[in-house]
Amino acid sequence: VSKSFPAKNDKGQLMDGVDTVSVSIASYRVVESKKHGKYAQYLVIFCDGNFRNTVGVWKRYSDFSQLSRKVSNGPESCAAVVTGLNPLSVTDDDLDVELLPNAMTSWRLLKKRQRWYRCLDAGYLSLKVFLLERFLHDILFESSNPQILRDFVGVKSSEGSKLDIKGLQ
């Protein structure tokens, strides 16, 4: 699943062309550490442009939880913005608030299906992969730019990732 955005340079200025971004969760694994015990990690695959700019990052549920807080508590909480909406009111279009209601709905559905304390059952983790991926897809489709997902996987802009690849050769 992918989405195209207007291309921007490192300064945020529009350029010719588009950035095509895709995100998915390929799999999960159960790991064990002395500090945290056993827990699940999810392999997030993020492609920014062509296959050369594909990154795979293992993320814990707590990373997704932190992302959900960013989505819901952007410059102003989505819930507060929606509650404050009045169809007859005059709004300030200069506010840079991005509402992602489907992403928040997906997160709430995931939370409703959540089990108590670190369930590592294969069936449950497979369902969780599906629900986490749905959450990421909703963020991708509702966002006006892919920066929140780039930040989540630790990637710079598409131009930056091309430079990083060239720097490694």
Side-chain angles (χ1 to χ4, degrees):
V1 178
S2 64
K3 180 179 176 183
S4 296
F5 298 91
K8 293 183 179 181
N9 63 17
D10 292 336
K11 297 174 185 169
Q13 299 166 331
L14 288 176
M15 302 180 341
D16 287 339
V18 294
D19 286 336
T20 301
V21 174
S22 66
V23 64
S24 63
I25 299 180
S27 64
Y28 68 88
R29 68 181 180 187
V30 176
V31 295
E32 187 170 8
S33 73
K34 291 181 181 179
K35 184 178 180 182
H36 299 289
K38 279 189 174 183
Y39 59 92
Q41 289 184 329
Y42 306 91
L43 181 58
V44 178
I45 305 295
F46 181 81
C47 181
D48 197 351
N50 61 36
F51 72 93
R52 290 187 179 143
N53 293 333
T54 300
V55 176
V57 184
W58 289 100
K59 293 287 188 176
R60 295 182 64 173
Y61 174 80
S62 59
D63 298 319
F64 289 93
S65 183
Q66 188 176 13
L67 177 62
S68 78
R69 286 191 294 279
K70 281 185 184 178
V71 168
S72 65
N73 298 326
E76 192 175 334
S77 168
C78 288
V81 171
V82 172
T83 303
L85 287 180
N86 180 340
L88 301 176
S89 68
V90 177
T91 60
D92 183 3
D93 291 334
D94 293 336
L95 289 177
D96 192 21
V97 176
E98 188 158 41
L99 297 176
L100 307 175
N102 291 338
M104 292 313 304
T105 299
S106 290
W107 184 254
R108 280 192 300 276
L109 290 172
L110 184 141
K111 295 290 283 179
K112 282 184 180 180
R113 300 290 298 218
Q114 190 173 9
R115 299 214 184 139
W116 291 94
Y117 192 73
R118 290 193 190 165
C119 179
L120 300 175
D121 174 65
Y124 172 69
L125 290 176
S126 295
L127 173 64
K128 204 165 182 181
V129 163
F130 171 77
L131 294 171
L132 287 169
E133 186 175 59
R134 178 178 162 179
F135 173 62
L136 292 178
H137 286 170
D138 285 342
I139 290 172
L140 177 65
F141 286 123
E142 291 182 306
S143 295
S144 60
N145 70 64
Q147 194 58 47
I148 191 168
L149 291 172
R150 285 179 178 143
D151 292 344
F152 180 64
V153 296
V155 171
K156 297 177 187 150
S157 70
S158 57
E159 284 299 312
S161 57
K162 289 176 191 167
L163 294 174
D164 289 346
I165 288 172
K166 289 179 184 172
L168 294 174
Q169 295 175 345

